[in-house]
Amino acid sequence: MQFNIKAALLSALVLPGLGQVYKGDRRKGIILVILVNFFLLAALWLVLQGVGQLVLATGSRSGIDAGRVMEQLRQHSPMARLLLASFFGLWLYSVVDAALARCNGNGETR
């Protein structure tokens, strides 16, 4: 079994799914890119929605306490944790899948 370092680095450091596209598995790569972006944007939207409610509730005349912000996030965005965990799972899968080189019919790695 050989490792494709360039594809793994593309998936790990640039964009999850890009290593699959580099290796020629475009369908899997595009699906991974779409899923990763969906999970990140959905988590960001949920977190910002919770923080926005806190900012509106405290008003502009008083300062925002960091402890209160964290408590608000814990209460109002448990789904964001699940989405971020899904993102990291897809990221890890993308890196491992990109690193494992596949062989074509002639025994050459592609």
Side-chain angles (χ1 to χ4, degrees):
M1 180 181 304
Q2 293 187 2
F3 295 102
N4 194 335
I5 300 298
K6 190 182 283 187
L9 288 175
L10 284 171
S11 281
L13 301 176
V14 179
L15 182 66
L18 196 58
Q20 284 76 7
V21 172
Y22 173 77
K23 285 178 20 178
D25 197 357
R26 290 184 181 182
R27 181 175 292 150
K28 185 187 286 187
I30 290 171
I31 289 171
L32 283 170
V33 167
I34 290 170
L35 284 175
V36 162
N37 283 318
F38 170 75
F39 286 137
L40 278 178
L41 290 174
L44 180 64
W45 181 76
L46 286 172
V47 167
L48 289 177
Q49 188 179 23
V51 171
Q53 291 173 358
L54 177 67
V55 170
L56 289 176
T58 58
S60 61
R61 58 192 148 134
S62 63
I64 298 174
D65 181 31
R68 188 168 175 201
V69 170
M70 291 307 295
E71 186 61 34
Q72 184 81 3
L73 288 176
R74 281 189 200 104
Q75 290 176 359
H76 292 288
S77 59
M79 191 65 170
R81 290 183 191 160
L82 178 63
L83 290 169
L84 287 174
S86 300
F87 160 74
F88 285 118
L90 277 175
W91 176 80
L92 183 63
Y93 169 77
S94 173
V95 172
V96 170
D97 183 60
L100 299 176
R102 292 197 189 109
C103 295
N104 59 14
N106 299 332
E108 300 171 350
T109 58
R110 62 176 187 137

